């Protein structure tokens, strides 16, 4: 019997589904649960053969031995501590010096997601055993601890937020093996042994390093990176912000007149969407830094930029998410466009993919979102497959406005952002607006020339 077709199908299933980026968090959680079961069974078999004192333990003590004290808990602690130490101190994923785009607090990778997923699987498995055998393996304090820990790690896993700080906290798991060893020494009646004394010193040093000094370092890291941490979306920010925060989350617009905000009138959360290679990163880089890179690397996940405009005697700050165009990152896009006040859908040669983005935004995005259709790379006349008239007609029929742009020549780059700013609601005038200024008359000429050509 030829098994190759079945093998190829199995490999394809694993690559396209189990290990695909959108499915990896769920796969890793299931892997964590199955690994817990495997470690439990292996520890039970090994201990019954090689540990003489194991047979003298009661049934519940054996379960505790295999689960928390020697088996699952210790293996998980070693695994996640090593993963955490790697990401916090050795990996470039969360480094300030890395060339990766985007804010550090929103970075993640398949490996970082896998580590957190296995940890979530452990918390679920251990919590299930605690509840099933309650209160033999622990009381309400264990249920509360595992529930809170599991939810926190799961939030970081599925949202992709603050994974660095999640791993910093998980380094504290390095103290677990020494605490589990303490339980074994107590159970074996070795309180007067040298091993018991050495274990006590090890616990003290581990707690001092992993649960005190490391947490001081973590708070210091948050302090010096507060400009990035402030971009995290959380429940407490929503509760503390009241109505104004609700407006920001639901419309993507925040109005303010505080001195600390540099007299900004509006902060606009905006997203760039489009197919890979359409020039989204080049477009926003030209707008923010007035730079053009001939060979721009593809965005991984998303990149964050900000720029300020003076529009109609008001000051608008754009906070821009440049999303990845690869299909494997498509599932991450809703995290960025939900609640956004504006979106630019970028296309170059063909805009079939752009039409799908428009449909998705109309179905799932903010109902008051200002949407722009950017026909990028207008300098490449020979590569055009869509006429300006065709794109303009589609834009008018779907409630967008259209402009032809070129990140290379800077044609209509500032103008398209300026037009978005002009269309934003709740823009309050100020006497001395700050930021990039474009005259209204020049803007009108740009719109007419690009939309109706």
């Amino acid at each position: 019997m030829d098994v190759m077709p079945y093998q190829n199908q199995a490999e394809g299933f694993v690559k396209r589904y189990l290990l695909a980026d959108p499915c990896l968090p769920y796969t890793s959680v299931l892997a964590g649960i199955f690994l817990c079961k495997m470690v439990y069974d292996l520890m039970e078999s090994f201990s019954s053969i090689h540990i003489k004192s194991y047979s003298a333990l009661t049934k519940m003590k054996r379960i505790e031995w295999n689960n928390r004290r020697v088996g699952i808990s210790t293996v998980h602690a070693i695994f996640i501590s090593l993963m955490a130490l790697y990401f916090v101190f050795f990996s470039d994923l969360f480094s300030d010096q890395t060339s990766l785009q985007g804010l550090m607090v929103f970075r993640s990778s398949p490996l970082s997601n896998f580590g957190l997923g296995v940890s979530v699987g452990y918390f679920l498995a251990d919590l299930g055993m605690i509840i099933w055998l309650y209160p033999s393996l622990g009381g309400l304090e264990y249920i509360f601890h595992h529930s809170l820990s599991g939810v926190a790690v799961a939030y970081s896993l599925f949202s992709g937020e603050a994974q660095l700080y999640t791993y910093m906290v998980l380094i504290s798991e390095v103290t677990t093996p020494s605490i589990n060893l303490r339980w074994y020494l107590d159970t074996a009646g070795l309180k007067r042994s040298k091993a018991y004394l050495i274990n006590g010193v090890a616990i003290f040093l581990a707690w001092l390093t992993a649960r005190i000094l490391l947490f001081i370092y973590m708070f210091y890291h948050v302090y010096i990176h507060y400009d990035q941490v402030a971009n995290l979306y959380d429940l407490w920010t929503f509760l503390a912000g009241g109505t104004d925060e609700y407006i920001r989350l639901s419309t993507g617009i925040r109005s303010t007149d505080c001195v600390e905000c540099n007299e900004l009138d509006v902060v606009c959360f905006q997203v760039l969407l489009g197919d890979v290679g359409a020039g989204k990163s080049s477009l926003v880089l030209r707008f923010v830094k007035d730079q053009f890179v001939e060979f721009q690397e593809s965005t991984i996940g998303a990149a964050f930029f900000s720029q300020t405009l003076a529009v109609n005697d008001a000051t608008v700050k754009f906070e821009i998410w440049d999303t990845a165009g690869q299909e494997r990152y498509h599932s991450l896009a809703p995290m960025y466009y939900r609640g956004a006040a504006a979106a630019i859908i970028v296309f170059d040669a063909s805009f079939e993919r752009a039409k799908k983005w428009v449909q998705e935004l109309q179905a799932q995005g903010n109902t008051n979102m200002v949407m722009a259709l950017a026909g990028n790379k207008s300098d490449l006349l020979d590569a055009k497959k869509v006429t300006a008239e065709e794109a303009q007609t589609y834009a008018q029929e779907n409630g967008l406005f259209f402009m032809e742009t070129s990140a290379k020549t800077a044609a209509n780059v500032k103008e398209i952002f300026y037009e978005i700013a002009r269309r934003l609601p709740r823009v309050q005038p100020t006497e001395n607006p700050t930021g990039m200024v474009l005259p209204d008359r020049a803007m009108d000429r740009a719109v007419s020339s690009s939309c109706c050509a």
Side-chain angles (χ1 to χ4, degrees), residues 190-335:
L190 299 174
K191 287 187 176 182
R192 295 184 179 274
S193 64
K194 289 184 179 180
Y196 198 82
L197 178 61
I198 295 173
N199 175 253
V201 174
I203 290 176
F204 170 77
L205 294 177
W207 271 75
L208 177 64
T209 304
R211 303 203 178 221
I212 298 178
L213 298 179
L214 184 65
F215 273 70
I216 293 175
Y217 170 74
M218 184 183 73
F219 289 127
Y220 173 72
H221 194 279
V222 171
Y223 172 75
I224 63 176
H225 294 86
Y226 182 75
D227 58 326
Q228 297 189 42
V229 175
N231 287 280
L232 293 173
Y233 299 102
D234 56 38
L235 176 63
W236 305 112
T237 302
F238 169 75
L239 295 176
T243 304
D244 289 340
E245 189 64 16
Y246 172 77
I247 292 173
R248 182 188 71 77
L249 290 173
S250 60
T251 67
I253 300 175
R254 181 174 67 246
S255 295
T256 177
D257 56 0
C258 64
V259 176
E260 292 81 358
C261 297
N262 299 322
E263 297 183 353
L264 296 176
D265 297 291
V266 171
V267 177
C268 171
F269 297 86
Q270 178 174 331
V271 63
L272 268 75
L273 302 168
D275 206 356
V276 60
K280 301 182 298 297
S281 299
S282 297
L283 201 66
V284 70
L285 190 64
R286 173 65 81 178
F287 172 62
V288 173
K289 298 182 179 180
D290 198 21
Q291 297 176 357
F292 177 77
V293 179
E294 188 70 35
F295 301 101
Q296 181 76 33
E297 293 184 0
S298 297
T299 302
I300 299 175
F304 179 81
F305 301 87
S306 65
Q307 177 63 288
T308 303
L309 285 178
V311 183
N312 291 345
D313 297 328
T315 303
V316 178
K317 180 181 179 182
F318 283 100
E319 294 189 348
I320 307 165
W321 283 107
D322 170 28
T323 63
Q326 296 96 321
E327 183 63 30
R328 58 177 176 168
Y329 294 115
H330 183 88
S331 61
L332 301 177
M335 290 196 315

Side-chain angles (χ1 to χ4, degrees), residues 63-107:
I63 293 176
E64 191 171 7
W65 171 284
N66 299 326
N67 176 30
R68 178 168 302 117
R69 301 306 179 183
V70 181
I72 300 174
S73 176
T74 301
V75 173
H76 167 261
I78 294 173
F79 166 78
I80 201 63
S81 297
L82 291 175
M83 291 283 289
L85 287 169
Y86 167 72
F87 281 114
V88 173
F89 296 111
F90 300 102
S91 173
D92 291 333
L93 179 62
F94 303 110
S95 172
D96 293 328
Q97 308 302 323
T98 185
S99 59
L100 292 176
Q101 295 181 336
L103 297 183
M104 170 269 300
V105 293
F106 292 107
R107 290 181 195 160

Side-chain angles (χ1 to χ4, degrees), residues 53 70 149 159 166 201 211 257 332 386 421 440:
S53 58
V70 181
S149 300
S159 69
T166 303
V201 174
R211 303 203 178 221
D257 56 0
L332 301 177
V386 181
D440 284 356

